[in-house]
């Protein structure tokens, strides 16, 4: 029994130790044991001897590793140039992977910070299958009828900006409007006070409001007594009932940060909320009990089928339900996943390159390794030795990589990319480091295994006989060629993907947008609300006065107010009827609305196609005039003359406002509202006749004139209670709208460039090595009269044969990769022949160039010298 | 002087020196070395079997001792060790180093002076 334990421990010692001393140890142990007179003494000796053996086993095992490591570091230091290249390659690749993973983890992989957050679903309205917004009555009916939704609420699709006064500096507050159960959906308790209750929607008097933790902390000094008090936003008093925790200010279903939420009350009927045709809501709900998302979808489809049968107004409407997390990160997920795959590809290429360099180093040390083999080092020891070296490289590279990642992630987060949700959660932390550690291990194995196995298989006697210089290195050479094939294939796929995204971005941003964005600045948005602007006259007067001031600024050519400037993400859809045409029931036509003043088309350089734009004739007192765009005419007025046609805005089912017909006085050319979508049918009402509650001032300046400082004051000059407006150039706003595609493009291009450089250095190293191995052969051939061109051709042909295999495999890989990428591409076919052709040409030429230098060197060999080497 | 002869040799560990001392008295196999060490230290130093063979392995690699064939056992050959000339030199150097230390200790009256 005692001896058995001793033998088990003995088995844990390294093999070389065991082979040499196991029998001696066992015999000594038995002899010593039998010399003890009593069982107690025997047991005491057995325990101490076994303990001693355990320590010996640990010492022996780590001694091997420590020796290998010390040896690895010494041999790394012997070739500092190659070592530096290897470490830099790994640091960049591991750093890039660490950085991308930390973004992917925080933004995409991490669940939302609510209990059972995967049971929260978002409800979106559809019209004929396209996103259109829910109506409140439809939502209420559906919530009542379904068995699958527990708490559910809707939120108005637009938020309002109000000025908060009396709490330090006046500041702008983003106010959302929600139904009472909104906060209950998320399942986290309020910071202070309470959330809304169903009765809040019915009580008259002060409207209840919930304030965000951020506003409470920054403007209200975290005062708990705020709850129960009255908060004035402009002139409207609200009753504060609770403070929402910080987690709830995060991008919600409208991807906006809210400062406060007010409950939708029945007095809001004036706003037209309780109207089956008012499709201006998004819904959010928690699944009931054990209901599944699929079950909820089926349930909602059934309910909406009933609504469509019951209400003529609902004939074209339905609802879609999706996970909340998809709503928050759905847009960015394919982009980040694509970048993650690309960066993993770069790591694979980097590993191949490092393996290649290590093989090169090992070739140079061939004699040393061979001598060690001959002196009795086991092949396993040599393999362990090479893997230890790979491990040392990976650990140093990984450590530097983490530092690179921390810097890169810090810079990325500091740039506050607006298209990345949850960016505030992104940092390099424990989970990321665990991932990096895994990469380091994988890198060790991947970059070490090819050189290690190549050496383990090498024919010892042959290598020694050939004195290691012109020895048979064909196994090594084949291994290196295989690595280069892989590098070229992966690089080609990566360059193709980057090329597709570049083409896509170029095509996206070079689309004719239909207006002249140069030298145009956007001031605002400015919101005119509260009692100071409670009439259309007062609003119109404000717009008139501020515009006059803007126009008086030297350097400004013209200025125009507009409800929704192009590339500003604001939407206002309005249903309408055409006078004299029967409107099909349930198919009320609708169009984008954009209230503008008379200079709008001039400022943006949008040409007039027929009729006139607005002028002094279009006043509040005259009958309403409207201008429409060509898309509107194509869609709705193809069978009649547009000029003089009268439209009933709001449609016949809007009974809250008097029926007013507006007359089309002009038709303008189409202009895009964003890069991604074509020009939509649009109605332009005259700002003087229907001044909106919110608008932006578009300013056309003379080239090279800075007017921002002068513009910053025009609003407060007219009304000192306004906060300073934001000012942005039109071109910057447009660039912002393409920022996600641009960042994807820049990242992929950078990764593709790194991959190409790595692959070319791989080719270069392999061809150079091949040439150095064949020095003698070239010398003999040239001595026998071979022309240099023939030799050069021979070297290049060898390189191109390897490259051709890589390119062929790469084209196949690129085909799969780009097919997966199609969803994020604009206008480009996944198998785009131009991109593929260009990339194949680029890679071929690059390989040619990389092979040219060693090929040239091959013909510079002096035959006499080459032969003397032997 | 002794340091310059073997510049790569740091002061030896106690266990190593005891083993070299045991072998200075003649060739021995592993078990006997262990016993000898115990005897020459009056039981104060007892080497565990793992420790003993680990040191013997290292000393063999460093060529301070050598394995020799021995015929003192009819059935199985035991691994028997002999001090090499290199090992002897190192043991001497260590002894001199310790001797020098002891002289210092005497000069400082930590030990009684030697009788002349």
């Amino acid at each position: 029994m005692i001896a058995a334990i001793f033998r088990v421990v003995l088995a844990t010692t390294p093999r070389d130790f065991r082979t040499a001393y196991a029998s001696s140890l066992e015999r000594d142990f038995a002899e010593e044991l039998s010399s003890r007179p009593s069982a107690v003494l025997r047991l005491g000796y057995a325990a101490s001897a076994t303990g001693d053996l355990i320590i010996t086993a640990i010492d022996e095992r780590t001694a091997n590793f420590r020796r290998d490591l010390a040896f690895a570091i010494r041999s790394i230091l012997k070739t500092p140039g190659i070592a530096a290249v290897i470490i830099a390659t790994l640091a960049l690749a591991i750093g890039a992977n660490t950085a991308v993973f930390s973004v992917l983890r925080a933004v995409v992989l991490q669940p939302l910070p609510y209990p059972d957050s995967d049971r929260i679903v978002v409800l979106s309205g559809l019209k004929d299958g396209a996103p259109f917004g829910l109506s409140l009555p439809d939502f209420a009916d559906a919530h009542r009828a379904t068995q699958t939704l527990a708490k559910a609420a809707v939120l108005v699709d637009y938020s309002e900006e109000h000025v908060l006064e009396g709490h330090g500096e006046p500041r702008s507050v983003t106010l959302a409007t929600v139904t009472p159960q909104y906060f209950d959906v998320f399942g986290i308790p309020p910071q202070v006070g309470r959330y809304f209750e169903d009765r809040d929607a019915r009580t008259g008097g002060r409207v209840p409001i919930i304030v965000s933790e951020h506003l409470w902390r920054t403007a209200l000094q975290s005062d708990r007594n705020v709850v129960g008090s009255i908060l004035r936003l402009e002139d409207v008093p609200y009753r504060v009932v609770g403070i929402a925790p910080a987690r709830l200010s995060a991008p919600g279903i409208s991807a906006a940060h809210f400062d406060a939420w007010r409950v939708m009350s029945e007095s809001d009927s004036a706003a037209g909320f309780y109207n089956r045709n008012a499709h201006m809501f998004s819904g959010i709900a928690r699944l009931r009990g054990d209901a599944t998302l699929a079950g909820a979808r089926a349930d909602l489809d059934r309910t909406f089928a009933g609504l469509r049968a019951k209400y003529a107004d609902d004939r074209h409407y339905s609802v879609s339900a999706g996970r909340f997390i998809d709503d928050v990160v759905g847009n960015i997920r394919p982009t980040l996943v694509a970048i993650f795959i690309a960066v993993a590809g770069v790591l694979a290429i980097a590993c191949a390159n490092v393996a290649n360099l290590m093989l090169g180093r090992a070739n140079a040390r061939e004699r040393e390794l061979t001598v060690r083999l001959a002196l009795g080092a086991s092949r396993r020891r040599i393999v362990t030795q090479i893997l230890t070296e790979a491990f040392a490289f990976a650990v140093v590279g990984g450590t530097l990589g983490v530092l690179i990642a921390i810097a890169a992630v810090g810079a990325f987060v500091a740039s506050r990319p607006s298209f990345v949700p949850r960016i505030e959660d992104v940092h390099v932390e424990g989970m990321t480091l665990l991932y990096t550690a895994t990469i380091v291990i994988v890198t060790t194995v991947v970059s070490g295994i090819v050189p290690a196995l190549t050496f383990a298989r090498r024919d010892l006697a042959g290598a020694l006989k050939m004195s290691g210089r012109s020895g048979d290195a064909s196994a090594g050479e084949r291994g290196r060629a295989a690595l280069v094939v892989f590098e070229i294939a992966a690089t080609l796929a990566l360059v193709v993907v980057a090329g597709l995204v570049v083409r896509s971005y170029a095509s996206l941003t070079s689309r004719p947008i239909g207006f002249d964005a140069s030298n145009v600045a956007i001031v605002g948005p400015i919101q005119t609300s509260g009692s100071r602007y409670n009439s259309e006259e007062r609003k119109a007067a404000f717009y008139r006065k501020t515009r006059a001031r803007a126009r008086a600024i030297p350097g400004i050519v013209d200025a125009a107010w507009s409800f929704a400037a192009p590339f500003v993400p604001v939407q206002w859809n309005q249903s309408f009827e055409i006078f004299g045409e029967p409107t099909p029931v349930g198919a009320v036509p609708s169009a984008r609305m954009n209230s503008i003043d008379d200079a709008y088309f001039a400022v943006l350089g949008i040409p007039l196609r027929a009729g006139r734009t607005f002028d002094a004739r279009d006043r509040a007192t005259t009958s309403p005039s409207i201008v429409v765009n060509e898309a509107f005419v194509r869609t709705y007025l193809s069978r009649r003359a547009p000029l003089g046609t009268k439209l009933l805005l709001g449609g016949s089912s809007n009974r809250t406002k008097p029926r007013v017909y507006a007359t089309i006085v002009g038709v303008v050319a189409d202009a895009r509202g964003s890069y991604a979508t074509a020009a939509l049918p649009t109605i332009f009402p005259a700002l003087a006749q229907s001044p909106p509650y919110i608008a932006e001032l578009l300013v056309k300046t003379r080239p090279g004139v800075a007017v921002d400082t002068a513009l910053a004051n025009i609003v407060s000059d007219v009304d000192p209670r306004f906060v300073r407006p934001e000012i942005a150039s039109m071109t910057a706003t447009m660039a912002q709208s393409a920022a996600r595609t641009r960042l994807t493009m820049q990242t992929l291009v950078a990764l593709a460039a790194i991959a190409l450089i790595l692959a070319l250095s791989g080719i270069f190293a392999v061809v150079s090595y091949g040439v150095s191995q064949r020095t003698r052969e070239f010398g003999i051939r040239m001595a026998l009269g071979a022309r240099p061109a023939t030799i050069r051709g021979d070297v290049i042909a060898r390189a191109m044969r390897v490259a051709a295999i890589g390119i062929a495999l790469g084209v196949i890989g690129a085909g799969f990769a780009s097919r997966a990428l199609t969803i994020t591409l604009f206008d480009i076919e996944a198998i785009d022949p131009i991109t593929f052709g260009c990339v194949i040409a680029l890679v071929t030429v690059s390989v040619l160039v990389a092979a040219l230098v060693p090929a040239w060197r091959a013909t510079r060999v002096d035959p006499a010298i080459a032969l003397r080497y032997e | 002087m002794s340091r310059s002869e073997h510049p790569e040799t740091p002061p030896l560990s106690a266990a190593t020196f005891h083993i070299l001392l045991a072998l200075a008295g003649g060739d021995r196999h592993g078990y006997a070395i262990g016993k000898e060490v115990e005897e020459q230290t009056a039981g104060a130093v007892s080497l565990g079997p793992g420790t003993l063979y680990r040191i013997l392995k290292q000393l063999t690699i460093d060529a301070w001792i050598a394995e020799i064939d021995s015929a003192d056992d009819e059935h199985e050959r035991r691994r028997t060790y002999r001090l090499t000339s290199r090992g002897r030199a190192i043991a001497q150097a260590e002894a001199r180093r310790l001797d020098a230390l002891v002289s210092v200790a005497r000069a400082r009256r930590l030990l009684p002076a030697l009788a002349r």
Side-chain angles (χ1 to χ4, degrees):
Chain A
M1 174 64 192
I2 290 172
I5 294 177
F6 189 77
R7 260 197 298 276
V8 168
V9 175
L10 191 57
T12 65
T13 56
R15 195 160 46 177
D16 56 339
F17 185 83
R18 209 162 57 232
T19 332
Y21 302 112
S23 61
S24 303
L25 274 161
E26 278 186 62
R27 193 167 43 194
D28 292 5
F29 181 72
E31 211 164 305
E32 190 69 41
L33 208 57
S34 60
S35 73
R36 311 274 148 150
S38 80
V40 176
L41 286 177
R42 277 201 290 276
L43 206 62
Y45 171 75
S48 83
T50 310
D52 176 73
L53 194 59
I54 291 174
I55 293 169
T56 304
I58 294 171
D59 277 354
E60 277 289 302
R61 287 213 171 265
T62 55
N64 279 352
F65 178 71
R66 281 201 307 265
R67 216 166 21 243
D68 282 351
L69 197 63
F71 189 81
I73 290 168
R74 262 199 304 275
S75 76
I76 285 171
L77 292 177
K78 261 186 229 159
T79 50
I82 294 175
V85 171
I86 289 178
I87 288 171
T89 305
L90 288 178
L92 275 179
I94 295 177
N97 274 273
T98 302
V100 171
F101 178 79
S102 63
V103 175
L104 186 76
R105 188 202 63 84
V107 174
V108 173
L109 301 180
Q110 185 175 251
L112 293 168
Y114 312 115
D116 293 326
S117 63
D118 58 334
R119 302 195 54 78
I120 304 177
V121 295
V122 169
L123 310 176
S124 321
L126 300 173
K127 181 189 184 187
D128 295 325
F132 201 75
L134 281 172
S135 83
L136 188 53
D138 286 347
F139 163 77
D141 288 350
H143 187 201
R144 251 194 307 279
T146 57
Q147 305 296 311
T148 45
L149 302 182
K151 299 286 187 186
V154 290
L155 152 136
V156 181
D157 276 341
Y158 57 85
S159 56
E160 301 166 43
E161 296 288 329
H162 292 289
V163 176
L164 172 69
E165 291 175 72
H167 297 274
E169 282 277 295
R171 56 170 288 169
S172 187
V173 168
T174 308
L175 183 64
T177 305
V178 299
T179 52
Q181 292 182 7
Y182 179 78
F183 291 97
D184 301 325
V185 171
F186 299 100
I188 52 175
Q191 180 110 0
V192 186
R194 63 170 178 88
Y195 289 141
F196 296 130
E197 293 160 6
D198 284 345
R199 64 182 163 86
D200 286 331
R202 292 188 296 273
T203 47
R206 311 267 190 254
V207 175
I209 194 174
I210 287 173
V211 172
S212 77
E213 190 271 345
H214 180 254
L215 183 67
W216 183 56
R217 185 161 38 81
T218 54
L220 306 173
Q221 291 80 44
S222 302
D223 179 6
R224 299 176 78 88
N225 293 325
V226 167
V227 173
S229 72
I230 300 296
L231 194 71
R232 280 180 184 278
L233 294 178
E234 261 133 61
D235 302 313
V236 185
Y238 294 95
R239 185 162 48 89
V240 179
V241 298
I243 313 295
R247 276 184 282 170
L248 279 174
S249 306
I253 46 180
S254 68
H257 284 270
F258 297 122
D259 296 311
W261 299 261
R262 70 186 193 109
V263 74
M264 196 183 300
S265 68
E266 279 166 5
S267 59
D268 282 324
S269 57
F273 289 163
Y274 293 85
N275 180 333
R276 217 168 277 279
N277 270 323
H279 294 269
M280 51 167 84
F281 300 93
S282 296
I284 188 156
R286 190 171 269 276
L287 294 175
R288 180 191 295 274
D290 54 358
T292 61
L293 180 60
R297 282 179 177 148
D299 199 8
L300 284 165
D301 284 348
R302 222 170 13 249
T303 309
F304 263 76
L307 291 175
R308 282 195 294 274
K310 191 169 173 190
Y311 301 104
D313 281 343
D314 275 349
R315 195 164 293 172
H316 290 258
Y317 294 95
S318 56
V319 68
S320 75
R323 291 195 192 286
F324 189 23
I325 182 82
D326 293 338
D327 197 66
V328 177
V329 305
N331 280 334
I332 195 79
R333 189 186 284 135
T335 303
L336 285 181
V337 169
I339 291 177
F340 181 70
I341 292 172
V343 90
V346 168
L347 180 64
I349 295 169
C351 283
N353 220 34
V354 168
N356 213 331
L357 288 170
M358 286 187 52
L359 259 179
R361 269 166 50 79
N363 279 327
R365 282 163 43 202
E366 186 166 3
R367 291 200 69 187
E368 169 211 321
L369 289 173
T370 317
V371 166
R372 287 182 63 195
L373 267 178
L375 287 178
S378 70
R379 277 163 203 274
R380 223 179 88 179
R381 292 280 306 123
I382 299 280
V383 167
T384 318
Q385 172 62 48
I386 291 177
L387 283 177
T388 307
E389 221 173 283
F391 180 69
F393 279 130
V395 166
V396 176
T399 311
L400 292 176
V402 167
L403 298 181
I404 292 174
I406 289 173
V409 166
F412 179 62
V413 172
S415 74
R416 294 274 144 201
S418 60
F419 54 92
V420 182
R422 307 204 273 177
I423 184 80
E424 61 280 349
D425 294 345
V426 175
H427 38 81
V428 178
E429 39 63 87
M431 200 60 184
T432 316
L433 295 182
L434 202 65
Y435 176 78
T436 311
T438 315
I439 295 188
V440 165
I441 303 293
V442 171
T443 303
T444 304
V445 174
V446 173
S447 64
I449 206 79
V450 173
L453 290 183
T454 307
F455 264 87
R457 277 205 311 263
R458 178 148 302 175
D459 171 29
L460 164 68
L464 266 184
K465 200 161 44 204
M466 303 296 257
S467 74
R469 182 148 35 82
S470 52
D472 170 29
S474 67
E477 214 172 350
R478 257 201 304 279
R480 301 185 79 185
L483 289 171
V484 167
V485 164
F486 167 77
E487 282 187 59
I488 290 180
T491 299
L492 186 114
L494 203 52
V495 176
V496 163
V497 166
L500 285 175
V501 175
V502 168
R503 290 251 300 150
S504 166
Y505 179 79
S507 147
L508 183 71
T509 52
S510 65
R511 284 172 170 179
I513 48 172
F515 65 93
D516 177 11
S518 60
N519 304 314
V520 173
I522 305 173
V523 182
I526 310 286
Q527 185 167 326
T528 46
S529 53
S531 62
R532 287 168 296 147
Y533 299 101
N534 61 1
S535 73
E536 300 207 329
E537 289 77 26
R538 289 182 182 183
K539 285 190 173 110
F542 170 80
Y543 290 135
R544 207 168 47 241
K545 281 186 204 161
T546 44
R547 190 175 86 149
R549 281 184 183 267
R551 284 178 134 167
I553 297 171
I556 287 185
V557 182
D558 209 345
W561 282 101
S562 154
F563 168 75
F567 287 86
V568 173
V570 179
Q571 297 173 17
W572 174 18
N573 288 306
Q574 177 72 279
S575 55
F576 63 89
E577 288 172 21
I578 301 166
F579 180 75
E581 279 188 14
T583 302
V585 176
V588 183
S590 64
R592 285 289 167 91
M593 298 288 280
N594 186 6
S595 297
I596 53 162
D597 68 26
D598 50 22
Y600 179 80
F601 300 116
V603 166
L604 291 180
I606 298 173
L608 183 68
R609 294 290 192 230
R612 65 175 178 90
T613 58
F614 301 126
D615 55 29
R617 278 171 282 177
D618 309 303
R619 296 185 304 274
T621 49
T622 59
S623 76
S625 305
I626 50 174
V627 172
V628 295
N629 66 357
E630 289 180 310
F632 184 93
V633 173
R634 271 198 309 279
T635 313
Y636 296 115
L637 302 176
S638 52
R639 281 169 301 165
R640 57 193 299 160
L643 294 185
T645 298
K646 290 183 191 319
L647 303 181
L648 179 62
L649 299 178
S652 57
S653 51
N654 185 353
R655 293 179 187 88
T656 57
K657 282 184 180 168
R659 297 156 69 94
V660 179
Y661 283 93
T663 309
I664 296 176
V665 297
V667 176
V668 293
D670 288 337
R672 276 178 197 271
S674 77
Y675 281 129
T677 51
L680 298 167
T682 307
I683 300 171
F684 297 97
L687 189 105
Q689 294 177 327
S690 59
Y693 73 99
I694 188 165
E696 280 121 13
L697 184 67
L698 300 177
V699 176
K700 179 85 173 178
T701 61
R702 268 190 271 283
V705 181
V707 291
D708 283 13
T709 349
L711 277 174
N713 293 322
I714 56 165
V715 179
S716 50
D717 283 353
V718 171
D719 182 344
R721 294 173 72 182
F722 274 106
V723 291
R724 268 170 175 261
E726 287 174 37
I727 300 175
S729 76
M730 189 78 209
T731 44
T733 305
M734 291 166 64
Q736 184 63 38
S737 80
R740 179 163 60 94
T741 314
R742 192 172 57 244
L743 183 82
T744 313
M745 174 186 76
Q746 289 165 343
T747 311
L748 289 178
V749 167
L751 292 177
I754 294 173
L756 193 60
I757 291 171
L758 289 177
L760 293 185
S761 70
I763 278 269
F764 178 81
V766 166
V767 178
S768 299
Y769 179 71
V771 166
S772 75
Q773 291 296 298
R774 294 167 68 201
T775 307
R776 182 161 160 259
E777 176 204 324
F778 293 145
I780 294 174
R781 282 170 65 181
M782 292 198 7
L784 292 178
R787 288 184 311 139
T790 319
I791 305 254
R792 278 199 290 272
D794 186 42
V795 171
I796 290 173
R798 270 197 182 208
M800 293 318 284
R801 262 204 300 280
V802 172
I805 301 172
I807 289 172
L809 292 177
V811 166
I812 297 169
F816 284 110
S818 52
R819 216 166 262 290
L821 198 74
T822 325
I823 27 168
T824 57
L825 296 178
F826 297 94
D827 288 352
I828 305 286
E829 290 291 313
I831 307 299
D832 177 41
I834 297 177
T835 310
F836 273 75
C838 288
V839 170
I840 291 171
L842 172 73
V843 172
T844 310
V845 170
S846 308
V847 169
L848 210 57
V849 171
L852 221 50
V853 176
W856 186 259
R857 213 179 284 149
T859 58
R860 302 288 297 262
V861 174
D862 179 346
I865 293 176
L867 291 175
R868 202 181 304 148
Y869 269 123
E870 285 301 298
Chain B
M1 182 203 112
S2 59
R3 307 300 298 160
S4 64
E5 269 179 32
H6 298 283
E8 81 278 23
T9 310
L12 303 183
S13 74
T16 304
F17 190 48
H18 282 304
I19 291 171
L20 293 182
L21 285 181
L23 285 173
D27 301 347
R28 281 175 173 79
H29 55 69
Y31 184 66
I33 296 172
K35 283 282 155 207
E36 177 71 30
V37 169
E38 248 172 76
E39 272 168 35
Q40 71 200 16
T41 61
V45 174
S46 170
L47 298 173
T51 307
L52 174 68
Y53 282 101
R54 183 152 191 261
I55 295 173
L56 288 176
K57 176 187 164 204
Q58 191 56 48
L59 294 179
T60 311
I61 290 172
D62 295 343
W64 292 6
I65 61 176
E67 264 181 52
I68 54 167
D69 288 338
S70 68
D72 68 335
D73 198 290
E74 311 88 66
H75 304 297
E76 353 169 32
R77 274 175 36 196
R78 288 195 150 186
R79 288 168 179 271
T80 304
Y81 299 93
R82 167 177 296 170
L83 201 59
T84 62
S85 55
R86 180 183 169 80
R88 183 169 297 277
I90 286 167
Q92 281 170 351
E94 181 71 1
R96 265 188 236 112
R97 189 181 69 83
L98 293 175
D99 187 43
L101 281 181
V102 170
S103 305
V104 173
R106 286 191 204 289
R108 305 275 154 88
R109 315 258 161 145
L110 290 175
L111 288 173
L114 280 178
R116 295 246 168 206

